[in-house]
Amino acid sequence: MKEEDVIIRTVIRLMIPFIQIFGLYVIFHGGSGPGGGFQGGVILAASMILYVMAFGVTEGRRKLTEKTNMIMRSTGVLIFSGIGLLAIIFGGKYLDYGAVPLPFVHDVVKVRELLIDGGVEVGIGITVMAVMVTIFLEFYPGGTSDD
Amino acid sequence: MRILPLITVLLVGALLIWSAQDMPDMGDPNAPTNLHVAPYYIEHSEEEVGVHNIVSAILADYRGYDTLGETTVIFTAGVSVLLLLRRRED
């Protein structure tokens, strides 16, 4: 696919860092305000979609290769279910985050908060972002890779 | 035989509207849904989960299985799109 105009490319190049920072903010702010992994992941995916629309699929695939995307898709679910399994290993029930012993944190409630904000939501965000980009690229003309 | 489905639809619709009259009003604080677990979540989610956002506390902790399933659904959707749309000539 051919690239867009130089004005569009420059503006999008300027916008993408802010979109991605906002997406990360929404993911990590999920515990204390509106937001969470699903919403933040979609915002992160939107930045990637914007990039592909301006610079073309080939350039977009260079930024986020199919292999990385494939790894990210599964990593998110793995993080989520892995935290659940960690709770079983340390004597709790599945997804009972309070049972996981974190270093330097001894308060059960604090452990739950940290694991939700820094683990579960991040896992959701990674999977949602990767899947959204996958779906977009597969439907985009010329987006289907051959590998 | 177009008249029979129409009558069925009208009857079922009338039945649903008639039975919906007994539903509690939208946002009624005395509705059964607002008296069961909702007050518990509002009162205890902060001290039990530590997350200030009640929605996130319910989503990630009280209803953790549901959210894990949702994430898996999204993952499955991505994999299905790949399987269906990626054609191979061999």
Side-chain angles (χ1 to χ4, degrees), chain A residues 76-120:
Chain A
V77 185
L78 185 73
I79 290 175
F80 197 159
S81 47
I83 289 174
L85 277 178
L86 270 184
I88 291 189
I89 291 171
F90 290 110
K93 293 170 186 153
Y94 190 56
L95 293 176
D96 183 11
Y97 314 119
V100 180
L102 289 183
F104 311 118
V105 186
H106 302 294
D107 186 18
V108 172
V109 175
K110 193 74 186 162
V111 170
R112 278 174 178 263
E113 185 188 350
L114 284 175
L115 279 181
I116 288 175
D117 261 354
V120 170

Side-chain angles (χ1 to χ4, degrees), chain B residues 34-49 54 62:
Chain B
N34 292 337
L35 291 175
H36 185 46
V37 285
Y40 179 85
Y41 287 157
I42 294 171
E43 283 165 18
H44 299 283
S45 69
E46 172 116 38
E47 61 195 59
E48 281 185 358
V49 186
I54 300 175
Y62 293 112

Side-chain angles (χ1 to χ4, degrees), chain A residues 6 9 16 27 31 34 36 41 44 77-78 93 96 110 122 124-125 142:
Chain A
V6 64
R9 275 188 285 144
I16 281 178
I27 290 181
L44 283 182
V77 185
L78 185 73
K93 293 170 186 153
D96 183 11
K110 193 74 186 162
V122 173
I124 297 172

Side-chain angles (χ1 to χ4, degrees), chain A:
Chain A
M1 299 299 291
K2 74 174 180 26
E3 290 186 340
E4 288 286 346
D5 192 75
V6 64
I7 297 174
I8 296 177
R9 275 188 285 144
T10 313
V11 169
I12 284 178
R13 207 191 277 280
L14 282 172
M15 279 167 69
I16 281 178
F18 293 101
I19 296 176
Q20 288 182 337
I21 284 187
F22 182 65
L24 288 176
Y25 164 79
V26 169
I27 290 181
F28 285 107
H29 207 245
S32 31
F38 291 101
Q39 297 89 330
V42 168
I43 293 173
L44 283 182
S47 75
M48 184 64 199
I49 289 171
L50 202 60
Y51 188 87
V52 170
M53 284 166 78
F55 294 88
V57 179
T58 331
E59 196 65 27
R61 284 278 189 209
R62 204 169 293 154
K63 290 280 178 194
L64 181 68
T65 56
E66 176 56 30
K67 197 174 177 190
T68 323
N69 198 357
M70 201 196 306
I71 293 170
M72 283 173 85
R73 269 202 302 275
S74 4
T75 306
V77 185
L78 185 73
I79 290 175
F80 197 159
S81 47
I83 289 174
L85 277 178
L86 270 184
I88 291 189
I89 291 171
F90 290 110
K93 293 170 186 153
Y94 190 56
L95 293 176
D96 183 11
Y97 314 119
V100 180
L102 289 183
F104 311 118
V105 186
H106 302 294
D107 186 18
V108 172
V109 175
K110 193 74 186 162
V111 170
R112 278 174 178 263
E113 185 188 350
L114 284 175
L115 279 181
I116 288 175
D117 261 354
V120 170
E121 300 279 13
V122 173
I124 297 172
I126 292 174
T127 294
V128 170
M129 181 249 163
V131 168
M132 289 298 150
V133 172
T134 307
I135 293 177
F136 172 76
L137 284 179
E138 287 303 314
F139 282 101
Y140 200 76
T144 311
S145 66
D146 299 321
D147 60 334

Side-chain angles (χ1 to χ4, degrees), chain A residues 30-31 33 73 97 109 112 138, chain B residues 51-53 56 60-61 82 86:
Chain A
R73 269 202 302 275
Y97 314 119
V109 175
R112 278 174 178 263
E138 287 303 314
Chain B
V51 172
H52 308 297
N53 184 358
S56 281
D61 199 295
L82 283 181
R86 192 166 284 180

